[in-house]
Amino acid sequence: FARVLALPINRLAEMTRAFSRGDFSARVQVRSITEVGELADTFNRMAAELEGFIRRLKLAAAENNELFLGTARALASAIDAKDPYTRGHSVRVNRYSVILARYHGLSEEDIRDIHVASLLHDVGKIGVDDAILKKPGKLTPEEFEVMKQHTVVGANIMAPIRQMERLLPGLRSHHERWAGGGYPDGLAGDRIPQMARIIAVADSFDAMTTERPYQT
C-alpha cells in the first residue's frame, strides 16, 4: 500500500524538479483515481499551459529583438545617407567590429552589444549641421570642434533608453586614442572601454580604406 501511494508521489516530485530545471516538456505518467492522480492531471495541464506560454514569450522576444535590430539598421542607414562621404560606413564598421569581438573571444552578450553599438556609433551626427558634415574640404578648427560633439550627442540621445545603457561607451568613446589626445574625454589606454577601442579600430580602418575628402 505504501509503495502504491509513494510511487506516483515520487514521480510527481521528479517531474516537478525537471520542470523547475527548465524542462517544460516534463509530464507525469500516473494512473490513479485517487487525489494523487487528480494532482498529476492538474500538474500536466498546468505544465502544458506554461509550456505554451513560454513558447509564445520566446517568439515575442525574438520578434522584439529583430524589430530593435531592424530599427538600429534603419537609423544607421539614415545617418550614412546624411553624409555622402560615408555611405555604408556604419554597416562596414559594424562588420569589422563584430569580427574583432569574435576574434578576441568575447561572450555572445558582449558581441551583441558591440553589434548594436557599432551600428549606432555615429548616431550623434544627426545633430551636426549639414554644412559641416558635407563640407568637401578640410574642416576649420571651429568646425572640427562642432564635429567632435557628435560622440556626446549620440550618447545623450540614447541615454534615456534603459536597454541602451551598456552601449553608451561605444557611442561616446570611439574617438578616444590609446596614447591619449582623443575626444571627448581625453581617455587613454585601459581607461578607454574595450567596446569603444574595438569600434575605434574598425572606424579608423574604414576611414583609411574608403574615399574621403581628406584621405590623401
PDB file of all heavy atoms in Angstrom, residues 56-82:
ATOM      1  N   ARG A  56       5.292  31.153 -26.601  1.00  0.00           N
ATOM      2  CA  ARG A  56       4.818  32.432 -27.152  1.00  0.00           C
ATOM      3  C   ARG A  56       5.701  33.586 -26.684  1.00  0.00           C
ATOM      4  O   ARG A  56       5.960  34.537 -27.440  1.00  0.00           O
ATOM      5  CB  ARG A  56       3.364  32.666 -26.736  1.00  0.00           C
ATOM      6  CG  ARG A  56       2.371  31.690 -27.378  1.00  0.00           C
ATOM      7  CD  ARG A  56       0.939  32.123 -27.163  1.00  0.00           C
ATOM      8  NE  ARG A  56       0.565  32.143 -25.764  1.00  0.00           N
ATOM      9  CZ  ARG A  56       0.104  31.092 -25.089  1.00  0.00           C
ATOM     10  NH1 ARG A  56      -0.018  29.916 -25.700  1.00  0.00           N
ATOM     11  NH2 ARG A  56      -0.218  31.195 -23.811  1.00  0.00           N
ATOM     12  N   LEU A  57       6.171  33.501 -25.441  1.00  0.00           N
ATOM     13  CA  LEU A  57       7.033  34.554 -24.889  1.00  0.00           C
ATOM     14  C   LEU A  57       8.364  34.606 -25.635  1.00  0.00           C
ATOM     15  O   LEU A  57       8.848  35.693 -25.983  1.00  0.00           O
ATOM     16  CB  LEU A  57       7.285  34.275 -23.398  1.00  0.00           C
ATOM     17  CG  LEU A  57       7.785  35.435 -22.530  1.00  0.00           C
ATOM     18  CD1 LEU A  57       6.775  36.578 -22.530  1.00  0.00           C
ATOM     19  CD2 LEU A  57       8.042  34.960 -21.109  1.00  0.00           C
ATOM     20  N   LYS A  58       8.946  33.440 -25.918  1.00  0.00           N
ATOM     21  CA  LYS A  58      10.207  33.390 -26.670  1.00  0.00           C
ATOM     22  C   LYS A  58      10.023  33.933 -28.083  1.00  0.00           C
ATOM     23  O   LYS A  58      10.888  34.634 -28.604  1.00  0.00           O
ATOM     24  CB  LYS A  58      10.725  31.953 -26.720  1.00  0.00           C
ATOM     25  CG  LYS A  58      11.311  31.453 -25.408  1.00  0.00           C
ATOM     26  CD  LYS A  58      11.827  30.026 -25.550  1.00  0.00           C
ATOM     27  CE  LYS A  58      12.476  29.551 -24.251  1.00  0.00           C
ATOM     28  NZ  LYS A  58      12.953  28.148 -24.359  1.00  0.00           N
ATOM     29  N   LEU A  59       8.893  33.603 -28.691  1.00  0.00           N
ATOM     30  CA  LEU A  59       8.618  34.096 -30.037  1.00  0.00           C
ATOM     31  C   LEU A  59       8.492  35.613 -30.035  1.00  0.00           C
ATOM     32  O   LEU A  59       9.037  36.295 -30.906  1.00  0.00           O
ATOM     33  CB  LEU A  59       7.332  33.450 -30.572  1.00  0.00           C
ATOM     34  CG  LEU A  59       6.902  33.854 -31.984  1.00  0.00           C
ATOM     35  CD1 LEU A  59       7.973  33.462 -33.004  1.00  0.00           C
ATOM     36  CD2 LEU A  59       5.571  33.219 -32.349  1.00  0.00           C
ATOM     37  N   ALA A  60       7.773  36.148 -29.026  1.00  0.00           N
ATOM     38  CA  ALA A  60       7.610  37.598 -28.923  1.00  0.00           C
ATOM     39  C   ALA A  60       8.958  38.278 -28.676  1.00  0.00           C
ATOM     40  O   ALA A  60       9.238  39.339 -29.245  1.00  0.00           O
ATOM     41  CB  ALA A  60       6.637  37.936 -27.793  1.00  0.00           C
ATOM     42  N   ALA A  61       9.805  37.652 -27.842  1.00  0.00           N
ATOM     43  CA  ALA A  61      11.123  38.225 -27.558  1.00  0.00           C
ATOM     44  C   ALA A  61      11.977  38.250 -28.826  1.00  0.00           C
ATOM     45  O   ALA A  61      12.690  39.228 -29.093  1.00  0.00           O
ATOM     46  CB  ALA A  61      11.821  37.419 -26.467  1.00  0.00           C
ATOM     47  N   ALA A  62      11.905  37.180 -29.613  1.00  0.00           N
ATOM     48  CA  ALA A  62      12.670  37.130 -30.862  1.00  0.00           C
ATOM     49  C   ALA A  62      12.183  38.197 -31.841  1.00  0.00           C
ATOM     50  O   ALA A  62      12.984  38.853 -32.515  1.00  0.00           O
ATOM     51  CB  ALA A  62      12.549  35.739 -31.483  1.00  0.00           C
ATOM     52  N   GLU A  63      10.860  38.380 -31.915  1.00  0.00           N
ATOM     53  CA  GLU A  63      10.304  39.396 -32.803  1.00  0.00           C
ATOM     54  C   GLU A  63      10.713  40.797 -32.350  1.00  0.00           C
ATOM     55  O   GLU A  63      11.050  41.649 -33.177  1.00  0.00           O
ATOM     56  CB  GLU A  63       8.783  39.263 -32.842  1.00  0.00           C
ATOM     57  CG  GLU A  63       8.302  38.017 -33.591  1.00  0.00           C
ATOM     58  CD  GLU A  63       6.800  37.832 -33.503  1.00  0.00           C
ATOM     59  OE1 GLU A  63       6.155  38.559 -32.710  1.00  0.00           O
ATOM     60  OE2 GLU A  63       6.267  36.976 -34.225  1.00  0.00           O
ATOM     61  N   ASN A  64      10.676  41.028 -31.019  1.00  0.00           N
ATOM     62  CA  ASN A  64      11.075  42.334 -30.492  1.00  0.00           C
ATOM     63  C   ASN A  64      12.547  42.610 -30.763  1.00  0.00           C
ATOM     64  O   ASN A  64      12.940  43.731 -31.100  1.00  0.00           O
ATOM     65  CB  ASN A  64      10.810  42.402 -28.980  1.00  0.00           C
ATOM     66  CG  ASN A  64       9.344  42.590 -28.657  1.00  0.00           C
ATOM     67  OD1 ASN A  64       8.582  43.044 -29.506  1.00  0.00           O
ATOM     68  ND2 ASN A  64       8.938  42.245 -27.459  1.00  0.00           N
ATOM     69  N   ASN A  65      13.375  41.562 -30.623  1.00  0.00           N
ATOM     70  CA  ASN A  65      14.804  41.716 -30.873  1.00  0.00           C
ATOM     71  C   ASN A  65      15.059  42.062 -32.338  1.00  0.00           C
ATOM     72  O   ASN A  65      15.870  42.936 -32.653  1.00  0.00           O
ATOM     73  CB  ASN A  65      15.541  40.431 -30.493  1.00  0.00           C
ATOM     74  CG  ASN A  65      17.037  40.552 -30.679  1.00  0.00           C
ATOM     75  OD1 ASN A  65      17.678  41.404 -30.075  1.00  0.00           O
ATOM     76  ND2 ASN A  65      17.603  39.709 -31.512  1.00  0.00           N
ATOM     77  N   GLU A  66      14.343  41.384 -33.237  1.00  0.00           N
ATOM     78  CA  GLU A  66      14.509  41.650 -34.659  1.00  0.00           C
ATOM     79  C   GLU A  66      14.026  43.060 -35.006  1.00  0.00           C
ATOM     80  O   GLU A  66      14.630  43.757 -35.839  1.00  0.00           O
ATOM     81  CB  GLU A  66      13.747  40.610 -35.483  1.00  0.00           C
ATOM     82  CG  GLU A  66      14.036  40.663 -36.974  1.00  0.00           C
ATOM     83  CD  GLU A  66      15.507  40.589 -37.310  1.00  0.00           C
ATOM     84  OE1 GLU A  66      16.235  39.793 -36.679  1.00  0.00           O
ATOM     85  OE2 GLU A  66      15.953  41.350 -38.195  1.00  0.00           O
ATOM     86  N   LEU A  67      12.938  43.494 -34.359  1.00  0.00           N
ATOM     87  CA  LEU A  67      12.434  44.850 -34.567  1.00  0.00           C
ATOM     88  C   LEU A  67      13.459  45.874 -34.097  1.00  0.00           C
ATOM     89  O   LEU A  67      13.721  46.875 -34.775  1.00  0.00           O
ATOM     90  CB  LEU A  67      11.111  45.030 -33.819  1.00  0.00           C
ATOM     91  CG  LEU A  67      10.480  46.422 -33.874  1.00  0.00           C
ATOM     92  CD1 LEU A  67      10.126  46.795 -35.313  1.00  0.00           C
ATOM     93  CD2 LEU A  67       9.226  46.478 -32.999  1.00  0.00           C
ATOM     94  N   PHE A  68      14.069  45.599 -32.935  1.00  0.00           N
ATOM     95  CA  PHE A  68      15.078  46.502 -32.379  1.00  0.00           C
ATOM     96  C   PHE A  68      16.281  46.617 -33.314  1.00  0.00           C
ATOM     97  O   PHE A  68      16.745  47.710 -33.632  1.00  0.00           O
ATOM     98  CB  PHE A  68      15.512  45.990 -31.004  1.00  0.00           C
ATOM     99  CG  PHE A  68      16.669  46.743 -30.398  1.00  0.00           C
ATOM    100  CD1 PHE A  68      16.497  48.037 -29.947  1.00  0.00           C
ATOM    101  CD2 PHE A  68      17.915  46.155 -30.284  1.00  0.00           C
ATOM    102  CE1 PHE A  68      17.554  48.743 -29.383  1.00  0.00           C
ATOM    103  CE2 PHE A  68      18.978  46.838 -29.731  1.00  0.00           C
ATOM    104  CZ  PHE A  68      18.796  48.137 -29.274  1.00  0.00           C
ATOM    105  N   LEU A  69      16.782  45.457 -33.783  1.00  0.00           N
ATOM    106  CA  LEU A  69      17.930  45.463 -34.683  1.00  0.00           C
ATOM    107  C   LEU A  69      17.581  46.106 -36.017  1.00  0.00           C
ATOM    108  O   LEU A  69      18.403  46.820 -36.608  1.00  0.00           O
ATOM    109  CB  LEU A  69      18.437  44.038 -34.899  1.00  0.00           C
ATOM    110  CG  LEU A  69      19.086  43.363 -33.689  1.00  0.00           C
ATOM    111  CD1 LEU A  69      19.464  41.929 -34.018  1.00  0.00           C
ATOM    112  CD2 LEU A  69      20.310  44.142 -33.214  1.00  0.00           C
ATOM    113  N   GLY A  70      16.364  45.868 -36.499  1.00  0.00           N
ATOM    114  CA  GLY A  70      15.923  46.487 -37.743  1.00  0.00           C
ATOM    115  C   GLY A  70      15.870  47.998 -37.623  1.00  0.00           C
ATOM    116  O   GLY A  70      16.254  48.725 -38.551  1.00  0.00           O
ATOM    117  N   THR A  71      15.403  48.479 -36.468  1.00  0.00           N
ATOM    118  CA  THR A  71      15.356  49.921 -36.225  1.00  0.00           C
ATOM    119  C   THR A  71      16.766  50.507 -36.185  1.00  0.00           C
ATOM    120  O   THR A  71      17.028  51.581 -36.734  1.00  0.00           O
ATOM    121  CB  THR A  71      14.629  50.211 -34.897  1.00  0.00           C
ATOM    122  OG1 THR A  71      13.315  49.655 -34.945  1.00  0.00           O
ATOM    123  CG2 THR A  71      14.532  51.710 -34.646  1.00  0.00           C
ATOM    124  N   ALA A  72      17.690  49.774 -35.531  1.00  0.00           N
ATOM    125  CA  ALA A  72      19.081  50.232 -35.459  1.00  0.00           C
ATOM    126  C   ALA A  72      19.693  50.306 -36.859  1.00  0.00           C
ATOM    127  O   ALA A  72      20.398  51.274 -37.192  1.00  0.00           O
ATOM    128  CB  ALA A  72      19.890  49.292 -34.574  1.00  0.00           C
ATOM    129  N   ARG A  73      19.418  49.299 -37.690  1.00  0.00           N
ATOM    130  CA  ARG A  73      19.954  49.304 -39.062  1.00  0.00           C
ATOM    131  C   ARG A  73      19.386  50.475 -39.870  1.00  0.00           C
ATOM    132  O   ARG A  73      20.104  51.127 -40.633  1.00  0.00           O
ATOM    133  CB  ARG A  73      19.632  47.984 -39.758  1.00  0.00           C
ATOM    134  CG  ARG A  73      20.363  46.778 -39.189  1.00  0.00           C
ATOM    135  CD  ARG A  73      20.126  45.534 -40.052  1.00  0.00           C
ATOM    136  NE  ARG A  73      20.445  44.321 -39.322  1.00  0.00           N
ATOM    137  CZ  ARG A  73      19.544  43.510 -38.774  1.00  0.00           C
ATOM    138  NH1 ARG A  73      18.253  43.765 -38.905  1.00  0.00           N
ATOM    139  NH2 ARG A  73      19.920  42.428 -38.122  1.00  0.00           N
ATOM    140  N   ALA A  74      18.075  50.700 -39.711  1.00  0.00           N
ATOM    141  CA  ALA A  74      17.437  51.797 -40.442  1.00  0.00           C
ATOM    142  C   ALA A  74      18.011  53.144 -40.015  1.00  0.00           C
ATOM    143  O   ALA A  74      18.260  54.024 -40.854  1.00  0.00           O
ATOM    144  CB  ALA A  74      15.926  51.763 -40.212  1.00  0.00           C
ATOM    145  N   LEU A  75      18.243  53.299 -38.712  1.00  0.00           N
ATOM    146  CA  LEU A  75      18.805  54.544 -38.195  1.00  0.00           C
ATOM    147  C   LEU A  75      20.227  54.734 -38.704  1.00  0.00           C
ATOM    148  O   LEU A  75      20.618  55.838 -39.100  1.00  0.00           O
ATOM    149  CB  LEU A  75      18.786  54.521 -36.666  1.00  0.00           C
ATOM    150  CG  LEU A  75      19.119  55.817 -35.925  1.00  0.00           C
ATOM    151  CD1 LEU A  75      18.256  56.968 -36.424  1.00  0.00           C
ATOM    152  CD2 LEU A  75      18.918  55.624 -34.421  1.00  0.00           C
ATOM    153  N   ALA A  76      21.004  53.647 -38.731  1.00  0.00           N
ATOM    154  CA  ALA A  76      22.372  53.716 -39.245  1.00  0.00           C
ATOM    155  C   ALA A  76      22.372  54.122 -40.717  1.00  0.00           C
ATOM    156  O   ALA A  76      23.199  54.945 -41.151  1.00  0.00           O
ATOM    157  CB  ALA A  76      23.068  52.372 -39.065  1.00  0.00           C
ATOM    158  N   SER A  77      21.453  53.570 -41.493  1.00  0.00           N
ATOM    159  CA  SER A  77      21.354  53.918 -42.913  1.00  0.00           C
ATOM    160  C   SER A  77      20.977  55.384 -43.094  1.00  0.00           C
ATOM    161  O   SER A  77      21.483  56.063 -44.000  1.00  0.00           O
ATOM    162  CB  SER A  77      20.317  53.029 -43.602  1.00  0.00           C
ATOM    163  OG  SER A  77      20.716  51.676 -43.567  1.00  0.00           O
ATOM    164  N   ALA A  78      20.089  55.874 -42.223  1.00  0.00           N
ATOM    165  CA  ALA A  78      19.680  57.282 -42.299  1.00  0.00           C
ATOM    166  C   ALA A  78      20.856  58.200 -41.991  1.00  0.00           C
ATOM    167  O   ALA A  78      21.034  59.245 -42.629  1.00  0.00           O
ATOM    168  CB  ALA A  78      18.537  57.539 -41.317  1.00  0.00           C
ATOM    169  N   ILE A  79      21.688  57.812 -41.024  1.00  0.00           N
ATOM    170  CA  ILE A  79      22.870  58.613 -40.680  1.00  0.00           C
ATOM    171  C   ILE A  79      23.845  58.642 -41.850  1.00  0.00           C
ATOM    172  O   ILE A  79      24.357  59.698 -42.244  1.00  0.00           O
ATOM    173  CB  ILE A  79      23.558  58.032 -39.433  1.00  0.00           C
ATOM    174  CG1 ILE A  79      22.625  58.097 -38.224  1.00  0.00           C
ATOM    175  CG2 ILE A  79      24.858  58.778 -39.131  1.00  0.00           C
ATOM    176  CD1 ILE A  79      23.021  57.149 -37.116  1.00  0.00           C
ATOM    177  N   ASP A  80      24.107  57.469 -42.428  1.00  0.00           N
ATOM    178  CA  ASP A  80      25.051  57.399 -43.547  1.00  0.00           C
ATOM    179  C   ASP A  80      24.546  58.171 -44.761  1.00  0.00           C
ATOM    180  O   ASP A  80      25.331  58.773 -45.499  1.00  0.00           O
ATOM    181  CB  ASP A  80      25.294  55.939 -43.937  1.00  0.00           C
ATOM    182  CG  ASP A  80      26.167  55.210 -42.915  1.00  0.00           C
ATOM    183  OD1 ASP A  80      26.672  55.884 -41.997  1.00  0.00           O
ATOM    184  OD2 ASP A  80      26.325  53.988 -43.034  1.00  0.00           O
ATOM    185  N   ALA A  81      23.232  58.161 -44.978  1.00  0.00           N
ATOM    186  CA  ALA A  81      22.659  58.882 -46.116  1.00  0.00           C
ATOM    187  C   ALA A  81      22.813  60.390 -45.940  1.00  0.00           C
ATOM    188  O   ALA A  81      22.853  61.145 -46.919  1.00  0.00           O
ATOM    189  CB  ALA A  81      21.184  58.518 -46.273  1.00  0.00           C
ATOM    190  N   LYS A  82      22.915  60.850 -44.699  1.00  0.00           N
ATOM    191  CA  LYS A  82      23.064  62.278 -44.411  1.00  0.00           C
ATOM    192  C   LYS A  82      24.442  62.782 -44.831  1.00  0.00           C
ATOM    193  O   LYS A  82      24.610  63.934 -45.166  1.00  0.00           O
ATOM    194  CB  LYS A  82      22.854  62.489 -42.904  1.00  0.00           C
ATOM    195  CG  LYS A  82      22.889  63.927 -42.409  1.00  0.00           C
ATOM    196  CD  LYS A  82      22.584  63.955 -40.917  1.00  0.00           C
ATOM    197  CE  LYS A  82      22.892  65.297 -40.286  1.00  0.00           C
ATOM    198  NZ  LYS A  82      21.970  66.346 -40.694  1.00  0.00           N
TER     199      LYS A  82
END
